[in-house]
Amino acid sequence: GAVVSQHPSWVICKSGTSVKIECRSLDFQATTMFWYRQFPKQSLMLMATSNEGSKATYEQGVEKDKFLINHASLTLSTLTVTSAHPEDSSFYICSALRQGNEQFFGPGTRLTVL
Amino acid sequence: AQSVTQLGSHVSVSEGALVLLRCNYSSSVPPYLFWYVQYPNQGLQLLLKYTTGATLVKGINGFEAEFKKSETSFHLTKPSAHMSDAAEYFCAVSPTGNQFYFGTGTSLTVIP
């Protein structure tokens, strides 16, 4: 099956710093990628839809200036958590949509903000 | 608005017993429906999906689900649970096949 990678898998940062998370589709091109957030023992919450070459579409309640998304190429989308605070600590999961509307998930990135 | 309800945040079954995980959805149009499994600290793996056609869908690892439009349900079953089935299971709905909305998840415990 198709492979989606995320980097880093775990990041710890100080409060106030910015963190960039990469999502790559390794063996297919994805015009659309999604970013989710998952709190412990909870479901995935769709944060935004990332479209190659255009601005991301954010779900209601998600701060676009806080969570910057850039879909620079057909295989790469990045999520930057700006001025991170402890409440931003979470598990961030991306997915990539392959032709035929098949969605493949990355392994997730655990963000811990001290 | 789309919503997905998974009844029972925790389900325990004995090894070899039937697994039944419930999922109900609300959607203004017939949606695409999915079940995913998540193991600790990992991403999601697709178990099965319903798009069109036959309402009984077979997936990986012996799982299957039936789309019942009249009940707006898409329950996941497996005839005989294995220890390796212990994981978190998520039901998801997608109205267009593009954006996905997930249920709150059901944690499955398999008792030896």
Side-chain angles (χ1 to χ4, degrees):
Chain A
V3 178
V4 175
S5 71
Q6 283 185 240
H7 177 80
S9 56
W10 192 3
V11 55
I12 302 173
C13 70
K14 291 182 178 181
S15 184
T17 61
S18 294
V19 174
K20 180 185 284 188
I21 303 170
E22 292 186 350
C23 177
R24 293 181 185 273
S25 56
L26 298 184
D27 52 359
F28 66 98
Q29 293 183 330
T31 55
T32 302
M33 291 184 174
F34 303 95
W35 286 97
Y36 297 87
R37 183 174 182 177
Q38 186 181 32
F39 291 102
K41 304 295 184 182
Q42 295 188 29
S43 186
L44 281 71
M45 181 192 77
L46 178 64
M47 298 175 66
T49 302
S50 171
N51 296 297
E52 189 268 337
S54 64
K55 290 184 178 180
T57 304
Y58 290 82
E59 294 297 300
Q60 191 173 6
V62 178
E63 299 176 61
K64 59 181 67 177
D65 295 331
K66 172 80 171 171
F67 299 99
L68 300 178
I69 292 172
N70 182 27
H71 197 148
S73 75
L74 288 172
T75 59
L76 173 65
S77 176
T78 60
L79 168 68
T80 301
V81 183
T82 62
S83 187
H85 291 284
E87 58 266 29
D88 299 323
S89 299
S90 191
F91 196 52
Y92 292 88
I93 300 176
C94 76
S95 70
L97 201 63
R98 194 173 69 174
Q99 192 174 9
N101 288 336
E102 197 165 0
Q103 185 175 201
F104 295 91
F105 286 84
T109 296
R110 184 165 303 285
L111 171 63
T112 302
V113 184
L114 303 177
Chain B
Q2 318 300 325
S3 71
V4 181
T5 302
Q6 289 183 240
L7 287 177
S9 58
H10 298 276
V11 170
S12 294
V13 299
S14 297
E15 190 174 16
L18 171 71
V19 176
L20 171 61
L21 305 182
R22 300 179 185 274
C23 174
N24 289 85
Y25 68 91
S26 66
S27 176
S28 56
V29 296
Y32 299 151
L33 296 160
F34 304 81
W35 274 100
Y36 289 89
V37 61
Q38 185 182 34
Y39 296 98
N41 296 311
Q42 293 187 27
L44 275 69
Q45 180 183 7
L46 179 66
L47 279 177
L48 48 80
K49 64 180 178 181
Y50 169 80
T51 52
T52 59
T55 56
L56 182 62
V57 180
K58 295 185 183 300
I60 63 172
N61 301 338
F63 285 94
E64 61 182 38
E66 186 171 11
F67 169 54
K68 292 186 176 180
K69 185 178 179 180
S70 61
E71 298 177 7
T72 60
S73 69
F74 191 57
H75 302 330
L76 180 71
T77 61
K78 181 174 180 177
S80 176
H82 293 171
M83 296 298 295
S84 60
D85 294 327
E88 191 82 17
Y89 291 81
F90 293 96
C91 180
V93 60
S94 178
T96 62
N98 203 350
Q99 291 178 317
F100 288 68
Y101 299 92
F102 287 83
T104 51
T106 298
S107 177
L108 176 64
T109 299
V110 181
I111 303 167

